[in-house]
Amino acid sequence: MLRKTIQTRMLVALFVVTTFASAPLSGLGQKASPVAPTKAQVEAVVREAYDKFRSDTSGKNADYIPFLAQVDSKMFGVAVVSTDNQVFSIGEINYAFSIQSISKVYTLALAMEELGADRVFERIGSEPTGRAFNSVNGVVEMPTHTGNPLVNAGAIATTSLIAGKDANEKWNKILNFYSRAAGEKLTLIDEVYKSEAATNAGNKALAMLLAKYERIYADPFESVDIYTKQCSVGVNVIQLARMGATLANNGKNPVSGEQIIKPEHVPYILSTMTMAGLYDGSGGWAWKVGLPAKSGVGGGIVAIVPGKGAIAVFSPRLDDAGNSVKAQKVIEYVVNKLDFNVFSPRSVGLKGE
Ligand code: GLN
């Protein structure tokens, strides 16, 4: 009896999957996921979240990089890009903010393309640090010293893995890789770079400390300089969502169709983002949202819904861990309304009886 019920259920499930898979491409990433919500549902929920949190003024701009303190903290934009390149955006969508720490995800991806995942894991590791993103103590106390590729120390070490005959060649390779992930040419925001380069003694100290432990793989100061440039790349919220959608789409850019990241590397990148994407806010994020994501002190956060798409939010006011307050609230709201939490069986359509 029980067996029969299970068999019937499996048949029904198969029927549902096939029916949805051949349905018109009206949902978010419908092609890749049979349980994607419709475009209209996504738009309605994102609009709701935008209106709900629009006048929230909690948090404050990063000010340890002088340029960022001057950015208009009222700016607010949201974009969703699906794996089949449907785009929905609202609010400030033209302003190019600095990508900051979100860059670390893509330099990690590039390092894996160049060295393979195993060698990157050996040289950097992927352990949550539970400490501030720029922690010196973390470098001293963590057995790996580098921690993971998404805190400053591990990220600078990851940047040092990128090969090239000189700093310029390495930097151009990185910028070009980001542009391919975004599906359009990205550029450096020179004022951000200058402002950060004039105030990055802390990152230089981290790099020298890594040198002491033999956990940096090129000249420490050259690596910090390239890292500072990568953090100063400008993206608007749609470009950022598209970079996220490339990860959601198994490493293939949904606009250009180019395979930027090897599919077998994607789970390593997404698991690292889940563990450390919001630094010492990552545990709370996994608890409440349940999606791989990455924040930057420029005010951006991108969250990945594997197989379906990505949502990016820009709002400069940050919490104490350095994560945009409004971006976290918007993404949490949207994810819960649309059942995107990957740890919840609801994300694959199991709603209970
Ligand atoms: N460029 C910034 C830094 O090195 C990036 C930090 C961040 O976005 N959390 O401090």
Side-chain angles (χ1 to χ4, degrees):
M1 175 64 187
L2 184 64
R3 236 172 102 192
K4 191 131 185 245
T5 320
I6 292 173
Q7 274 173 356
T8 322
R9 280 195 190 165
M10 280 170 72
L11 271 176
V12 170
L14 193 68
F15 173 73
V16 170
V17 169
T18 354
T19 319
F20 273 81
S22 57
L25 293 181
S26 55
L28 179 69
Q30 186 80 62
K31 198 164 45 176
S33 169
V35 291
T38 65
K39 193 172 181 198
Q41 284 170 317
V42 174
E43 288 188 12
V45 171
V46 171
R47 217 180 278 281
E48 239 169 72
Y50 183 83
D51 291 338
K52 188 173 164 69
F53 299 110
R54 194 183 194 146
S55 43
D56 190 312
T57 55
S58 31
K60 69 182 201 33
N61 283 34
D63 55 9
Y64 74 99
I65 298 170
F67 181 94
L68 296 182
Q70 312 301 323
V71 171
D72 177 1
S73 50
K74 288 190 293 303
M75 283 192 286
F76 179 33
V78 184
V80 173
V81 176
S82 68
T83 48
D84 52 2
N85 198 36
Q86 299 180 64
V87 181
F88 176 69
S89 57
I90 185 165
E92 179 51 77
I93 54 170
N94 296 314
Y95 180 77
F97 52 95
S98 53
I99 190 169
Q100 294 296 341
S101 277
I102 306 166
S103 67
K104 294 166 177 170
V105 171
Y106 295 89
T107 300
L108 166 65
L110 176 60
M112 287 202 274
E113 290 301 301
E114 293 201 342
L115 282 86
D118 287 352
R119 271 199 254 163
V120 173
F121 186 77
E122 228 170 70
R123 286 166 172 74
I124 312 293
S126 185
E127 301 310 323
T129 71
R131 296 174 176 91
F133 63 81
N134 51 6
S135 171
V136 173
N137 290 346
V139 179
V140 177
E141 290 161 12
M142 296 280 295
T144 60
H145 307 294
T146 37
N148 66 66
L150 304 183
V151 291
N152 287 14
I156 295 165
T158 306
T159 299
S160 80
L161 291 174
I162 306 303
K165 67 174 185 322
D166 55 24
N168 224 21
E169 187 175 296
K170 296 177 190 179
W171 156 239
N172 283 319
K173 219 193 237 182
I174 290 172
L175 182 61
N176 180 44
F177 188 77
Y178 294 3
S179 300
R180 285 161 60 215
E184 53 192 291
K185 201 170 169 5
L186 302 177
T187 51
L188 178 84
I189 310 172
D190 205 45
E191 291 161 282
V192 176
Y193 168 62
K194 290 205 174 101
S195 179
E196 188 163 345
T199 51
N200 65 354
N203 284 336
K204 288 179 182 150
L206 292 177
M208 288 311 287
L209 206 47
L210 288 171
K212 167 182 150 144
Y213 296 112
E214 299 181 1
R215 291 290 279 177
I216 191 157
Y217 310 100
D219 178 80
F221 287 165
E222 176 194 276
S223 303
V224 171
D225 189 52
I226 300 172
Y227 163 83
T228 306
K229 283 187 174 146
Q230 76 176 47
C231 290
S232 310
V233 169
V235 282
N236 64 40
V237 81
I238 299 177
Q239 290 166 332
L240 182 59
R242 207 169 262 127
M243 291 176 87
T246 295
L247 279 169
N249 197 32
N250 224 6
K252 188 191 260 196
N253 184 301
V255 193
S256 65
E258 192 191 352
Q259 189 74 48
I260 316 289
I261 300 164
K262 284 193 187 68
E264 62 265 34
H265 292 163
V266 171
Y268 300 129
I269 298 169
L270 297 185
S271 65
T272 306
M273 289 170 81
T274 305
M275 230 104 64
L278 272 77
Y279 315 113
D280 41 339
S282 302
W285 177 263
W287 182 286
K288 289 187 285 192
V289 184
L291 280 181
K294 185 73 204 84
S295 62
V297 289
I301 299 188
V302 63
I304 318 299
V305 192
K308 295 182 184 142
I311 176 168
V313 183
F314 165 59
S315 168
R317 292 197 185 96
L318 312 179
D319 64 12
D320 290 344
N323 301 316
S324 166
V325 177
K326 221 139 81 172
Q328 291 179 80
K329 289 181 179 170
V330 168
I331 298 172
E332 181 180 346
Y333 184 89
V334 170
V335 167
N336 285 323
K337 285 261 162 162
L338 296 176
D339 284 338
F340 282 156
N341 183 329
V342 295
F343 300 115
S344 163
R346 293 172 71 92
S347 70
V348 289
L350 298 182
K351 309 242 172 187
E353 292 181 26

